[in-house]
Amino acid sequence: MGADFSEPTLAGEQKRIEDILANDDEYSWMIELDKKIIGNVSINSIAEMTKKFSAKAGNLTILIGEKNLWGQGIEAKVCACILDWCFEKAGFEIIAARALKENAGSIRT
């Protein structure tokens, strides 16, 4: 469930950004708290979900990489911001999300 954001390399980040910009099937953002990257959020599988629902759709994925920040409401705030953008600015009609059953906090969000 966790991810290590402590020592990104410039080359690795440049490659990641190039991949993100080239991908028209996903929107992706980093989550920053107190000037430190703590996770990421994305809307992905847009083509597949849009075809499935016959409406602009995507999957919501949120990752908070630092376990000590879990359960502090960060995900709920990120989710609210992203969903607002999806429906108000980006023209999405459907956003789906899943959570591991071990992640009860995400299910409540």
Side-chain angles (χ1 to χ4, degrees):
M1 294 284 303
D4 183 4
F5 296 106
S6 62
E7 295 185 42
T9 65
L10 181 57
E13 289 302 293
Q14 286 174 327
K15 171 75 169 104
R16 188 184 63 75
I17 290 168
E18 289 169 3
D19 290 346
I20 290 168
L21 293 173
N23 186 353
D24 61 358
D25 196 40
E26 178 176 353
Y27 294 98
S28 183
W29 303 266
M30 300 309 288
I31 302 169
E32 183 179 320
L33 179 67
D34 298 329
K35 299 182 180 181
K36 182 178 179 186
I37 295 171
I38 62 162
N40 72 326
V41 57
S42 68
I43 302 297
N44 54 51
S45 302
I46 296 168
E48 175 187 344
M49 296 295 287
T50 297
K51 183 177 179 181
K52 177 179 179 180
F53 291 107
S54 298
K56 188 171 181 182
N59 282 321
L60 171 67
T61 304
I62 300 175
L63 168 73
I64 303 296
E66 297 194 27
K67 202 171 193 175
N68 63 317
L69 296 174
W70 295 356
Q72 295 188 20
I74 296 168
E75 182 180 348
K77 290 177 184 173
V78 169
C79 188
C81 290
I82 294 301
L83 290 176
D84 181 60
W85 177 84
C86 286
F87 295 118
E88 300 298 322
K89 306 280 190 221
F92 282 91
E93 297 178 62
I94 298 169
I95 297 294
R98 299 183 293 200
L100 296 173
K101 58 184 165 184
E102 297 87 6
N103 193 354
S106 288
I107 295 167
R108 285 191 304 269
T109 302

